[in-house]
């Protein structure tokens, strides 16, 4: 049975000339898990909002959207609100009430459900998602991942038939994002609920999606199975090729003619085992990285810090950052990654110990966890141009490379999470500080942009500067970092070069390491495989 | 906490706060203000050890000094001369008036802080969503705004402090920068508020005429008695206020601050009204 069908849908925002969507036609059957892809600004969010009737933006709509066999417009209001659910990107902004239980009940109260029905549905939904334990908590005490699960539960309690998800994990760290996507998978499999999701984390969505739609130039560029979509992306040019998830990307690099590339690590390892013989002939050219020794920019010695005296965040912490270094800080939520960055920036004062800079006027650039706090100007153009110190050429390069012209007239707060990160990074790069402190720089960033970010960050440290970034994004850190540190139990437990760090870890490691661990490959072969995914 | 003051019917809680804010604004007498300050501090300590209120300390101090200072320097009225600086007369009246204003501002703030801890969003919607859904939505967003805005302002200050470390020399630039920060705070918060409103709309807010409530608040006999009790006390205070009790005339001629017998009675009623959460809470524990 068809759940949703779009017939020649086009849309132009009020006050704008160019249409965002030109001619979009597709139909989705009950129980399908549809991944909607496309570069930023291609109209993914617009399409979802047209389907979620209450949030339809102002503008000129062409064509018809059918829900079931009726046009969407003819659907009664209460039915439209309940049966088409939507989860947005920002976990905080969606929450209305101050208690979890109240938040779950909010939608049902709006639709006039009886008390008895509400109780049952809440009990059922929370048990299914395994979130009963924090139901009585205040919303503000939850982590971002928990908040997003709560938002999902609140929508699910209305028993939607069609669930729309607009970059739901854009603000979450990889571990919580995985957890969230796993929940979606289970719902889809257990209830046959139809889902349409837009996502950057293709690695994790690909194995669960049953169908992929790619928006390209205002219409559907590709419509088919995930495996076929990889072929399409691979053939469709660089912008799309960067979206191919890591495992199939490696496979396609080795064998571009591959018909059905592996999707998961498990499949990838099996595939690689067959390929080992081919790799054996790889030429041996070992490049040795030159170690740069210099005086540390920032040194932290014997630092103690804690928000509450009884449970400290740090205990006797040592840390240094030198020229030419890009340090990635890993650690679970609440292990103090952000705190460490703020201590380095001297925004927080340690209880004991000291933070020392190598010169008095060390310039520090800092992008906080919420990039909103970073923007001080009305438009992206002003924001970027105010940051230029002297280097106009750098400005032009950055703007061209990150394709910022199209965002120039937007207000920074109107951008999506990934776009905000992009603009914030460009701004600090233009300011040319000595040390750059980044807090989760790749949150919500699409793979294509991520690659560019990595390139510019490497360029930045080659100029004799340093970067410290707190991140959960292992793949990204493996490319940019020169050193990885792990915060655990109030201490800095490991500080190693990324190669050693990832080779030693089993779970907390890159897809590449998981693919190759335990295989009989020498270091030259490893290097060859690895370089393929480099820039 | 599901016993004591918070367990009462939301209507009673709301009546208490509405009455309290009126009384705090009406009763303009040093003795009343001092009594109220003690009670309001106690109410705040009761709920979270006064932690939330303590966060506002800087704000309270600055506004208090500002009120007293401005009053002293702009008003020369009054016959009790404290000091003479050149041509300028600093009078007891102006000083007292400024202090009372500052006290009232503090009281209103303290009341709001405790209100936020006691009346949940859920209860607020229970009370108002049926009567005026649009208005309830707007106020709910506004109430949520305040604590979020404080957190965000701190974050903006941190980041911007780093951006301009020591580079803003003149005070004119500094003020301009501060204004800019507030502007950013406003856009950020409004943007968030807009998304919250969308999330409400997406979940059918306002589509069905009769909104139901998940939590059932039973109107018990005790709630009725409390309501009558609060009404009587409130009427007593307002009666006193109409007859000039609990108000200290300062201008043009300052009255004697001593309390009359009737005034003591009104003060008693005032004290009993304001400390309502305290004895309900203690009564529930015992």
């Amino acid at each position: 049975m068809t759940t949703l069908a779009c017939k020649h849908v086009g849309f132009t925002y009020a006050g704008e000339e160019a249409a965002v969507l030109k001619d979009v036609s597709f139909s989705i059957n009950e129980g399908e898990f549809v991944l909607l892809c496309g570069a930023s600004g291609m109209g993914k969010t617009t399409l979802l909002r047209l389907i979620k009737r209450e949030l339809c933006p102002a503008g000129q709509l062409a064509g018809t959207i059918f829900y079931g066999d009726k046009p969407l417009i003819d659907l009664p209001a209460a039915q439209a609100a309940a049966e088409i659910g939507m989860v947005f990107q920002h976990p905080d902004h969606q929450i209305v009430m101050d208690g979890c239980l109240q938040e779950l009940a909010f939608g049902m109260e709006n639709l006039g459900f009886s008390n008895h029905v509400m109780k049952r549905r809440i009990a059922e939904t929370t048990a299914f998602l395994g979130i009963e334990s924090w139901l009585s908590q205040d919303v503000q005490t939850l982590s971002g991942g928990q908040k997003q699960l709560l938002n999902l539960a609140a929508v699910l309690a209305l028993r939607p038939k069609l669930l729309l998800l607009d970059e739901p994990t854009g603000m979450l760290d990889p571990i919580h994002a995985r957890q969230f996507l796993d929940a979606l998978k289970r719902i889809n499999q257990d209830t046959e609920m139809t889902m349409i999701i837009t996502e950057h984390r293709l690695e994790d969505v690909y194995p669960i999606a049953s169908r992929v739609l790619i928006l390209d130039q205002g219409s559907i560029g590709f419509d088919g199975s995930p495996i076929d979509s990889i072929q399409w992306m691979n053939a469709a040019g660089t912008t799309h090729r960067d979206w191919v998830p890591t495992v199939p990307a490696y496979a396609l690099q080795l064998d571009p003619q591959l018909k059905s590339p592996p999707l998961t690590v498990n499949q990838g390892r099996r595939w690689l085992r067959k390929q080992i013989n081919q790799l054996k002939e790889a030429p041996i050219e070992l490049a040795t990285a030159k170690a740069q020794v210099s005086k540390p920019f920032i040194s932290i010695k014997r630092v103690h810090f804690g928000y509450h005296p009884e449970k400290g965040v740090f205990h006797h912490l040592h840390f240094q950052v030198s020229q030419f270094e890009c340090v990635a800080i890993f650690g679970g939520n609440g292990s103090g990654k952000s705190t460490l960055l703020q201590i380095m920036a001297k925004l927080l004062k340690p209880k004991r110990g000291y933070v020392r800079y190598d010169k008095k006027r060390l310039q520090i650039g800092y992008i906080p966890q919420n990039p909103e706090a970073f923007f001080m100007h009305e438009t992206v153009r002003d924001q970027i141009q105010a940051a230029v110190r002297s280097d106009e050429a750098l400005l032009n390069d950055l703007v061209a490379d990150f394709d910022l012209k199209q965002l120039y007239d937007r207000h920074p707060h109107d951008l999506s999470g990934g776009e905000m990160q992009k603009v914030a990074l460009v701004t600090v790069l233009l300011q040319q500080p000595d040390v750059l402190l980044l807090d989760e720089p790749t949150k919500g960033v699409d793979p294509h942009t991520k690659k560019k970010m990595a390139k510019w960050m490497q360029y930045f440290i080659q100029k004799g500067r340093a970067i410290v970034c707190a991140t959960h994004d292992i793949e990204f850190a493996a490319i940019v970092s020169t050193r990885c540190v792990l915060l655990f139990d109030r201490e800095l437990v490991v500080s190693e070069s990324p190669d050693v760090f990832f080779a030693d870890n089993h779970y907390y490691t890159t897809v590449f390491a998981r693919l190759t661990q335990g295989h009989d490959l020498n270091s030259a072969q490893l290097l060859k495989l690895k370089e393929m995914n480099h820039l | 906490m599901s016993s004591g003051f918070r367990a009462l019917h939301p209507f009673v809680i709301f009546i208490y706060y509405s009455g309290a804010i009126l009384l705090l604004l009406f009763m303009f007498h040093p003795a009343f203000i001092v009594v109220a300050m003690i009670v309001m501090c106690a109410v705040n300590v009761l709920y979270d050890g006064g932690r939330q209120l303590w966060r506002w300390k800087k704000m309270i101090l600055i506004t208090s000094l500002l009120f007293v200072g401005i009053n002293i320097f702009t008003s020369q009225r009054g016959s009790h001369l404290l000091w003479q600086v050149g041509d300028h007369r600093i009078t007891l009246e102006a000083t007292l008036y400024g202090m009372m204003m500052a006290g009232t501002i503090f009281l209103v703030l303290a009341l709001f802080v405790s209100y936020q801890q006691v009346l949940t969003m859920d209860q607020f919607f229970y009370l108002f969503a049926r009567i005026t859904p649009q208005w309830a939505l707007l106020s709910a967003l506004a109430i949520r705004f305040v604590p979020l805005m404080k957190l965000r302002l701190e974050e903006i200050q941190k980041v911007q402090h780093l951006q301009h470390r020591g580079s803003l020399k003149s005070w004119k630039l500094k003020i301009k920068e501060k204004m800019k920060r507030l502007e950013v705070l406003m856009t950020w918060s409004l943007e968030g508020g807009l998304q919250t409103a969308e999330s409400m709309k997406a979940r059918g807010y306002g589509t069905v005429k009769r909104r139901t409530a998940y939590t059932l608040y039973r109107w018990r006999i005790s709630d009725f008695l409390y309501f009558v009790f609060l009404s009587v006390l409130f009427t007593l205070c307002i009666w006193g206020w109409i007859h000039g009790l609990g108000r200290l005339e300062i201008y043009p001629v300052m009255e004697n601050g001593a309390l009359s017998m009737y005034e003591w009675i009104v003060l008693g009623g005032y004290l009993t009204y304001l400390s309502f959460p305290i004895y309900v809470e203690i009564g529930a524990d015992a």
Side-chain angles (χ1 to χ4, degrees):
Chain A
M1 209 190 105
T2 312
T3 306
L4 183 87
C6 287
K7 300 244 162 85
H8 306 291
V9 170
F11 187 77
T12 313
Y13 275 99
E16 278 179 35
E17 304 248 313
V20 189
L21 300 174
K22 284 170 197 147
D23 184 6
V24 175
S25 300
F26 62 90
S27 79
I28 293 172
N29 292 326
E30 205 174 328
E32 280 196 284
F33 194 116
V34 179
L35 171 63
L36 184 64
C37 306
S40 303
M42 280 295 169
K44 288 173 296 186
T45 302
T46 313
L47 183 59
L48 289 188
R49 279 172 175 259
L50 291 175
I51 300 169
K52 179 72 191 160
R53 210 176 66 184
E54 290 85 354
L55 305 181
C56 187
Q60 190 61 45
L61 176 73
T64 329
I65 302 172
F66 290 92
Y67 178 75
D69 44 10
K70 272 188 292 191
L72 187 65
I73 318 159
D74 296 344
L75 209 63
Q79 195 189 350
E83 291 190 3
I84 304 179
M86 183 152 177
V87 177
F88 310 82
Q89 186 179 74
H90 211 297
D92 273 315
H93 294 161
Q94 287 170 72
I95 296 175
V96 182
M97 304 300 242
D98 36 22
C100 292
L101 202 61
Q102 285 75 31
E103 181 65 26
L104 287 175
F106 179 78
M108 291 188 278
E109 291 175 331
N110 290 337
L111 298 176
F113 285 30
S114 79
N115 191 265
H116 176 71
V117 175
M118 280 196 252
K119 280 221 166 83
R120 218 179 72 192
R121 290 221 184 157
I122 289 179
E124 192 187 38
T125 320
T126 52
F128 183 76
L129 291 175
I131 59 174
E132 306 104 310
S133 54
W134 36 269
L135 268 190
S136 56
Q137 279 184 35
D138 197 44
V139 172
Q140 289 314 320
T141 61
L142 302 179
S143 72
Q146 287 175 322
K147 280 181 190 160
Q148 200 63 319
L149 271 181
L150 178 70
N151 289 325
L152 177 66
V155 173
L156 286 183
L158 294 172
R159 294 220 182 128
K161 296 219 166 88
L162 173 64
L163 186 60
L164 310 171
L165 303 124
D166 191 8
E167 286 184 34
T169 64
M171 298 276 175
L172 308 186
D173 62 65
I175 291 133
H176 281 106
R178 268 303 256 285
Q179 207 183 350
F180 185 85
L181 292 172
D182 283 345
L184 290 183
K185 181 183 170 187
R186 218 148 47 85
I187 297 160
N188 178 254
Q189 287 179 345
D190 290 3
T191 66
E192 222 200 356
M193 189 183 294
T194 315
M195 297 186 182
I196 307 178
I197 185 171
T198 68
E199 215 358 298
H200 292 312
R201 220 177 286 272
L202 299 188
E203 236 97 283
D204 298 327
V205 189
Y206 252 77
I208 54 178
S210 65
R211 186 166 150 203
V212 174
L213 288 176
I214 301 176
L215 273 179
D216 192 22
Q217 313 298 332
S219 56
I220 300 286
F222 173 86
D223 179 359
S225 73
I227 290 213
D228 293 340
S229 77
I230 287 174
Q231 296 272 336
W232 186 88
M233 285 186 202
N234 200 38
T238 41
T239 326
H240 287 287
R241 197 176 304 141
D242 288 339
W243 286 68
V244 178
T246 321
V247 177
Y250 278 124
L252 282 168
Q253 294 271 5
L254 272 185
D255 181 2
Q257 305 309 318
L258 202 63
K259 274 281 159 316
S260 56
L263 286 180
T264 61
V265 171
N266 191 319
Q267 293 166 359
R269 284 182 70 91
R270 257 182 285 155
W271 172 83
L272 189 65
R273 203 165 290 141
K274 288 184 213 144
Q275 304 296 318
I276 283 182
N277 295 331
Q278 258 189 44
L279 273 175
K280 287 261 156 81
E281 284 115 50
I284 297 175
E285 274 175 47
L286 271 178
T288 44
K290 236 190 287 168
Q292 309 261 15
V293 186
S294 59
K295 209 173 141 222
F297 270 138
I298 302 177
S299 43
I300 289 181
K301 286 259 162 71
R302 297 186 301 277
V303 158
H304 285 245
F305 186 85
Y307 291 103
H308 303 288
E310 62 273 16
K311 41 173 186 178
V313 181
F314 299 130
H315 179 75
H316 216 75
L317 188 92
H318 292 268
F319 184 72
Q320 288 186 336
V321 200
S322 314
Q323 272 190 317
F324 304 106
E325 263 199 313
C326 175
V327 185
I329 307 176
F330 297 107
N333 283 342
S335 61
K337 296 189 296 293
S338 305
T339 312
L340 182 57
L341 288 185
Q342 293 189 12
I343 286 178
M344 277 193 260
K346 293 193 177 171
L347 289 173
L348 292 173
K349 221 176 136 62
K351 295 263 143 62
R352 258 179 284 157
Y354 67 82
V355 181
R356 197 161 286 167
Y357 292 168
D358 78 322
K359 53 184 170 189
K360 207 171 169 204
R361 303 208 60 84
L362 187 78
Q363 293 288 327
I364 289 188
Y366 169 59
I367 303 181
Q369 224 167 10
N370 295 316
E372 284 99 333
F374 183 84
F375 300 118
M376 290 298 265
H377 298 273
E378 299 279 315
T379 60
V380 172
R381 185 202 314 272
D382 294 347
Q383 177 70 35
I384 290 171
Q385 278 168 357
V388 180
R389 288 284 141 87
S390 55
D391 210 343
E392 286 285 338
L394 181 67
L395 170 80
N396 294 335
D397 283 353
L398 279 165
V399 168
D401 203 27
F402 280 104
D403 215 3
L404 287 177
K405 276 263 155 53
Q406 49 162 338
L407 303 177
Y408 254 23
D409 293 321
R410 305 258 299 272
H411 192 286
H413 285 201
D414 282 340
L415 303 175
S416 76
E419 288 168 335
M420 274 192 213
Q421 294 287 356
K422 185 160 86 173
V423 175
L425 184 72
V426 169
T427 312
V428 277
L429 286 177
L430 284 170
Q431 289 168 347
Q432 307 192 333
D434 299 308
V435 182
L436 196 50
L437 307 174
L438 307 173
D439 205 339
E440 295 279 358
T442 57
K443 213 160 61 170
V445 175
D446 67 70
H448 185 62
T449 311
K450 223 189 262 186
K451 268 199 166 165
K452 288 183 178 157
M453 285 170 83
K455 188 183 91 186
W456 281 100
M457 280 163 71
Q458 281 170 337
Y459 172 78
F460 180 81
I461 58 168
Q462 277 157 17
K463 296 256 150 147
R465 306 200 183 93
I467 297 178
V468 182
C469 66
T471 184
H472 282 288
D473 193 332
I474 291 161
E475 304 293 333
F476 181 72
I479 297 176
V480 294
S481 69
T482 58
R483 184 154 64 97
C484 298
V485 300
L486 182 63
L487 280 174
F488 178 70
D489 192 24
R490 304 184 297 158
E491 274 177 277
L492 231 158
V493 277
V494 203
S495 174
E496 291 168 337
S497 80
D499 288 336
V500 182
F501 182 81
F502 292 120
D504 261 6
N505 291 353
H506 211 91
Y507 302 103
Y508 213 89
T509 189
T510 54
V511 170
F512 171 75
R514 278 187 276 163
L515 269 179
T516 53
Q517 262 168 8
H519 275 311
D520 180 27
L521 294 169
N522 64 36
S523 51
Q525 289 166 333
L526 278 175
L527 205 72
K528 185 188 174 206
L529 249 184
K530 195 173 172 193
E531 265 171 5
M532 290 178 185
N533 208 39
H534 266 228
L535 309 157
Chain B
M1 211 188 300
S2 57
S3 65
F5 183 53
R6 290 184 211 205
L8 298 184
H9 194 276
F11 181 68
V12 178
I13 300 176
F14 187 75
I15 284 292
Y16 166 77
Y17 280 107
S18 334
I21 190 139
L22 289 178
L23 290 184
L24 291 181
L25 291 175
F26 283 167
M27 298 304 186
F28 203 62
H29 187 290
F32 281 73
I33 291 174
V34 168
V35 164
M37 277 165 101
I38 296 169
V39 174
M40 284 331 293
C41 286
V43 169
N44 269 291
V45 168
L46 188 68
Y47 286 110
D48 67 338
R51 243 167 260 129
Q52 285 290 337
L53 190 60
W54 184 246
R55 285 200 193 160
W56 290 90
K57 57 185 182 294
K58 220 169 150 187
M59 228 304 268
I60 292 170
L61 203 72
I62 291 171
T63 35
S64 304
L65 288 178
L66 217 63
F67 265 99
V68 178
I70 287 177
N71 222 43
I72 288 176
F73 287 108
T74 53
S75 161
Q76 301 196 38
R77 294 165 74 193
S79 50
H80 299 70
L81 187 67
L82 285 181
W83 209 282
Q84 178 109 24
V85 185
D87 258 0
H88 192 86
R89 291 154 42 87
I90 294 176
T91 62
L92 177 64
E93 282 88 342
T95 317
L96 192 64
Y97 196 82
M99 282 164 72
M100 282 161 67
M101 292 274 277
T104 309
I105 298 279
F106 165 77
L107 285 173
V108 172
L109 186 87
L111 190 76
F112 263 109
V113 171
S114 98
Y115 169 87
Q116 273 187 354
Q117 287 167 20
V118 173
L119 203 76
T120 61
M121 204 62 107
D122 181 44
Q123 292 172 322
F124 183 83
F125 272 106
Y126 174 81
L127 289 175
F128 296 107
R130 291 181 224 204
I131 316 170
T132 54
Q134 301 301 336
W135 188 82
L137 178 135
L138 206 68
S139 359
L141 291 179
I143 293 169
R144 239 182 86 89
F145 245 36
V146 181
L148 272 178
M149 268 169 71
K150 229 173 121 50
L151 283 176
R152 284 174 181 163
L153 186 62
E154 278 164 25
E155 213 166 313
I156 292 174
Q157 272 166 345
K158 269 185 191 168
V159 180
Q160 297 308 326
H161 170 74
L162 259 185
Q163 296 260 309
H164 302 285
R165 190 156 24 204
S167 65
L168 298 174
K169 290 282 187 293
S170 78
W171 61 273
K172 211 171 163 185
L173 274 176
K174 274 185 190 161
I175 287 187
K176 214 175 142 195
E177 190 57 33
K178 287 237 156 86
M179 294 308 290
K180 195 87 209 170
R181 286 178 197 179
L182 285 182
E183 195 188 308
V184 172
L185 177 70
M186 285 317 289
T187 11
W188 188 3
S189 303
L190 284 174
E191 184 68 29
L194 227 65
Q195 286 179 29
T196 310
E198 279 189 340
S199 151
M200 293 173 81
K201 256 168 67 189
R203 281 182 283 161
Y205 187 79
T207 43
V208 172
K209 272 257 169 65
R210 239 191 120 64
R211 198 173 184 274
T212 48
Y214 174 75
T215 322
L216 295 177
Y217 299 103
R218 278 201 198 85
W219 181 254
R220 283 165 293 205
I221 296 183
S222 59
D223 288 315
F224 177 72
L225 293 178
Y226 283 134
F227 175 65
V228 172
F229 180 66
L230 284 176
S231 310
V232 169
L233 290 174
F234 184 76
T235 319
L236 171 73
C237 294
I238 291 300
W239 170 84
W241 181 77
I242 290 169
H243 291 83
L245 306 174
R247 272 189 293 174
L248 185 71
E249 296 283 342
I250 291 183
Y251 302 125
V253 181
M254 186 161 71
E255 335 172 75
N256 188 351
L259 299 176
S260 66
M261 205 256 285
Y262 283 116
E263 242 166 343
W264 278 109
I265 294 174
V266 173
L267 181 62
Y270 183 69
L271 174 67
T272 322
Y273 185 97
L274 289 182
S275 45
F276 180 71
I278 301 176
Y279 48 76
V280 171
E281 206 68 59
I282 291 170
D285 282 348

